[in-house]
Amino acid sequence: ADLTVYVDPAGSDTANHGLSAAYPFKTLNRAEKSLPKITFDFQQVVSMSAGVFDQSYTPAGDMARPAILFPGQRLRRRRSAQNGSVLDAAIVYRGQGDTTIVRSNPVAGYPYGVYLTGAEAAFEKFKIEPAASGSTAALLTSHRTDYAHLSSVTIDGSAGAGVALGTIVEAGGSIEAINCT
């Protein structure tokens, strides 16, 4: 069935189940790991509260490209599409506008903000920016035949310490952006 998982920087990855706003996970990668690996007809939403997401549940050494949000290696058969003012997809990362911030954290070993690999995902209503210190590699990367569908996402390379590359599409990835800055 459709599923919504809640995440809040003040939540807990170990004590909470993420199935309600009262018991949210703390990190985006923990929320992503709680979702089923295979999705055909149902929608999974990661509901992101206002706040700054700059920590990861997954150790940096366990990721090929250490990122604060690393959705990937999931089989998804439902195509992403715009449905009125929101995105419809197998998985949607939905924020609260510019008050929801995904921020790289190169000092902690996460030089990427969002790194999509081996999946299709929709991203809406949040901001991606570099950390205040350290060398951010990229803010948003679509890699290996991925499809990233963005709506109302702000990619701000001028924030924090800055970044050389805001978005990267590599190895057959693709990004579709609607109403983005």
Side-chain angles (χ1 to χ4, degrees):
D2 289 351
L3 173 68
T4 298
V5 176
Y6 297 86
V7 62
D8 185 315
S12 173
D13 286 342
T14 55
N16 291 349
H17 50 63
L19 297 176
S20 73
Y23 297 97
F25 289 125
K26 178 181 180 113
T27 64
L28 295 167
N29 281 339
R30 176 63 182 100
E32 197 272 337
K33 285 185 176 297
S34 75
L35 301 174
K37 282 203 172 267
I38 299 173
T39 303
F40 291 100
D41 295 324
F42 302 104
Q43 178 167 275
Q44 302 166 356
V45 174
V46 175
S47 180
M48 303 159 56
S49 72
V52 176
F53 294 92
D54 63 357
Q55 296 180 27
S56 178
Y57 175 76
T58 308
D62 290 352
M63 289 187 250
R65 302 286 196 280
I68 297 303
L69 176 54
F70 190 86
Q73 309 307 313
R74 306 281 183 177
L75 179 59
R76 313 229 188 260
R77 294 285 187 225
R78 185 173 174 178
R79 177 98 167 105
S80 178
Q82 188 164 359
N83 185 3
S85 64
V86 298
L87 292 179
D88 225 1
I91 185 168
V92 178
Y93 293 87
R94 185 171 292 142
Q96 306 297 315
D98 281 349
T99 61
T100 301
I101 299 169
V102 175
R103 184 179 293 153
S104 66
N105 191 344
V107 173
Y110 302 91
Y112 295 90
V114 177
Y115 197 96
L116 181 66
T117 184
E120 177 176 322
F123 305 93
E124 68 178 20
K125 300 177 184 169
F126 64 93
K127 183 177 184 179
I128 309 169
E129 65 182 32
S133 61
S135 180
T136 294
L139 297 178
L140 172 67
T141 303
S142 176
H143 178 70
R144 291 207 180 154
T145 66
D146 300 318
Y147 178 71
H149 193 166
L150 283 64
S151 177
S152 302
V153 173
T154 299
I155 300 172
D156 186 358
S158 68
V163 62
L165 299 168
T167 59
I168 300 174
V169 177
E170 60 184 12
S174 61
I175 295 174
E176 179 178 353
I178 302 165
N179 299 324
C180 294
T181 305

